């Protein structure tokens, strides 16, 4: 019989808690939305609910993704040692873990309000359908972006009881940004994905991948500039966008030869983009 501690470690790996980059990429836009909705530090209970919710839903997304790809991951260099693909966790166990994580996240949402609860159903729906989109469309990154950004209207609803129009502009910026960085992530696996029949924006864009990523990055910054203009944000915020733009230029340099390591490093670098924009918002509201 496999030791309990070993089994527990495999569950943690299945939830990707040993690789928290996805938590950060989901957390930063969530915090953007919460800080704008609250015009500063959000209510402590709302902040705690959403931080914990980010961890639970990102973990749930990883579990259902690996369940959907369990027969494909073994053929991809980067994913062949994932617990489901390697047979260290059974499919039924993964579905059970996914259900526990989703129920736990839903219990958290019950401490908010009816509007947020109703919006949370969309979050679960997007988390469930995303892993299967790569079989039917070359735009699964758009669905991932919609899922990652869904915490923004939820945060507005939890903090204010409504979803202001500015929330959807932040939502759009997040979706576009997600497509940009997840395209770089998909560039890591492009050769393997072509072989096994997985679709992605990296395959769709082909030789224009770097140009398309640059356009998506520029669109992200443009949307964030519009956010600043509509909210009347101060200089720290705009300085953060300049720094974020610098990170985007660095990412373009990393992917210039389309090598696996460079593309993966460019993907990881987006953590600093999200943090930088959050710091700009934080400093703006700190000055008020």
């Amino acid at each position: 019989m496999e030791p309990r501690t070993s089994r527990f470690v495999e569950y943690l790996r299945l939830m990707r808690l040993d690789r928290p980059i996805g938590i950060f990429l989901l957390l930063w836009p969530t915090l953007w939305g919460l800080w704008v909705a609250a015009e500063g530090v959000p209510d402590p209970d709302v902040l705690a609910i959403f931080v914990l919710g980010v961890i639970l839903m990102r973990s749930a997304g990883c579990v259902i993704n690996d369940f959907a790809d369990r027969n494909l991951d073994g053929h991809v260099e980067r994913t062949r040692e994932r617990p489901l693909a390697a047979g260290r966790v059974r499919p039924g166990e993964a579905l059970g873990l996914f259900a526990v994580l989703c129920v736990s996240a839903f219990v958290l949402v019950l401490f908010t309000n009816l509007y947020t609860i109703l919006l949370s159903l969309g979050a679960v729906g997007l988390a469930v359908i995303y892993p299967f989109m790569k079989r039917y469309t070359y735009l699964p990154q758009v669905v991932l972006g919609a899922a990652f950004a869904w915490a923004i209207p939820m945060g507005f609803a939890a903090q204010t009881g409504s979803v202001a129009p500015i929330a959807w502009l932040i939502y759009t910026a997040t979706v576009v940004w997600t497509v940009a960085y997840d395209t770089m992530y998909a560039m890591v696996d492009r050769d393997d994905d072509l072989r096994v029949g997985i679709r992605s924006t990296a395959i769709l864009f082909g030789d224009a991948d770097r140009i398309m990523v640059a356009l998506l990055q520029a669109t992200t910054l443009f949307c964030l500039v519009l956010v600043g203009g509509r909210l009347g944000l101060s200089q720290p915020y705009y300085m953060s966008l300049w720094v974020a733009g610098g990170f985007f230029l660095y990412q373009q340099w990393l992917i210039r030869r389309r090598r696996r390591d460079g593309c993966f490093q460019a993907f990881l670098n987006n953590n600093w983009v999200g943090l930088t924009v959050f710091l700009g918002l934080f400093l703006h509201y700190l000055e008020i």
Side-chain angles (χ1 to χ4, degrees):
M1 180 178 293
E2 187 176 2
R4 289 181 180 271
T5 53
S6 176
R7 205 63 167 176
F8 179 70
V9 169
E10 293 300 334
Y11 289 158
L12 294 181
R13 289 174 178 162
L14 184 59
M15 292 187 287
R16 226 86 87 235
L17 291 180
D18 58 328
R19 298 183 178 181
I21 179 63
I23 292 175
F24 294 130
L25 292 175
L26 178 55
L27 178 64
W28 296 128
T30 300
L31 296 181
W32 300 350
L34 284 174
W35 250 255
V36 171
E39 298 182 352
V41 180
D43 296 340
D45 54 340
V46 171
L47 181 59
I49 287 169
F50 275 83
V51 170
L52 290 173
V54 161
I55 296 171
L56 289 170
M57 287 308 298
R58 187 265 182 170
S59 299
C62 290
V63 172
I64 196 64
N65 179 78
D66 286 10
F67 173 81
D69 291 347
R70 64 193 184 280
N71 296 321
L72 299 174
D73 280 345
H75 303 284
V76 178
E77 180 180 344
R78 183 179 55 82
T79 60
R80 63 183 53 170
E81 288 304 316
R82 286 178 174 175
L84 272 169
R88 297 191 299 272
V89 173
R90 293 187 294 271
E93 293 177 278
L95 287 178
L97 181 58
F98 174 72
V100 168
L101 291 167
C102 287
V103 170
S104 299
F106 186 70
V107 169
L108 286 176
V109 177
L110 292 178
F111 289 94
T112 59
N113 54 48
L114 179 59
Y115 193 9
T116 311
I117 293 170
L118 293 175
L119 285 172
S120 72
L121 301 179
V124 174
L126 288 166
V128 170
I129 67 171
Y130 160 68
F132 301 95
M133 290 296 99
K134 63 191 76 173
R135 292 163 176 75
Y136 305 106
T137 176
Y138 286 101
L139 298 171
Q141 282 71 24
V142 176
V143 182
L144 179 66
F148 267 36
W150 199 252
I152 294 167
M154 284 183 61
F156 269 79
Q159 179 66 38
T160 69
S162 63
V163 181
I166 195 67
W168 297 111
L169 186 53
I170 302 172
Y171 181 91
T172 301
T174 302
V175 172
V176 177
W177 177 43
T178 304
V179 176
Y181 67 64
D182 206 56
T183 297
M184 291 185 281
Y185 191 55
M187 288 168 68
V188 176
D189 299 329
R190 180 158 45 194
D191 293 341
D192 290 331
D193 288 348
L194 282 167
R195 180 164 45 82
V196 300
I198 294 175
R199 302 179 183 185
S200 71
T201 48
I203 295 172
L204 175 65
F205 296 154
D207 291 339
D209 48 6
R210 290 179 57 205
I211 295 174
M212 292 303 298
V213 168
L215 289 173
L216 290 164
Q217 291 171 327
T219 303
T220 301
L221 290 174
F222 178 68
C223 290
L224 292 174
V225 168
L226 292 179
V227 169
R230 294 190 181 185
L231 293 174
L233 300 182
S234 56
Q235 186 176 5
Y237 175 75
Y238 290 102
M239 288 298 296
S240 77
L241 298 188
W242 279 104
V243 175
F247 283 127
F248 283 156
L249 290 175
Y250 175 59
Q251 291 165 23
Q252 285 291 322
W253 184 81
L254 286 171
I255 67 173
R256 69 195 186 284
R257 294 175 182 170
R258 299 182 175 88
R259 292 176 178 171
R260 288 177 184 259
D261 289 347
C263 293
F264 188 64
Q265 287 301 314
F267 162 74
L268 294 175
N269 185 258
N270 281 276
N271 175 47
W272 298 105
V273 174
L275 171 60
T276 297
V277 175
F278 171 68
L279 287 176
L281 287 166
F282 180 85
L283 291 173
H284 163 76
Y285 288 112
L286 189 66
E287 288 184 341
I288 295 178

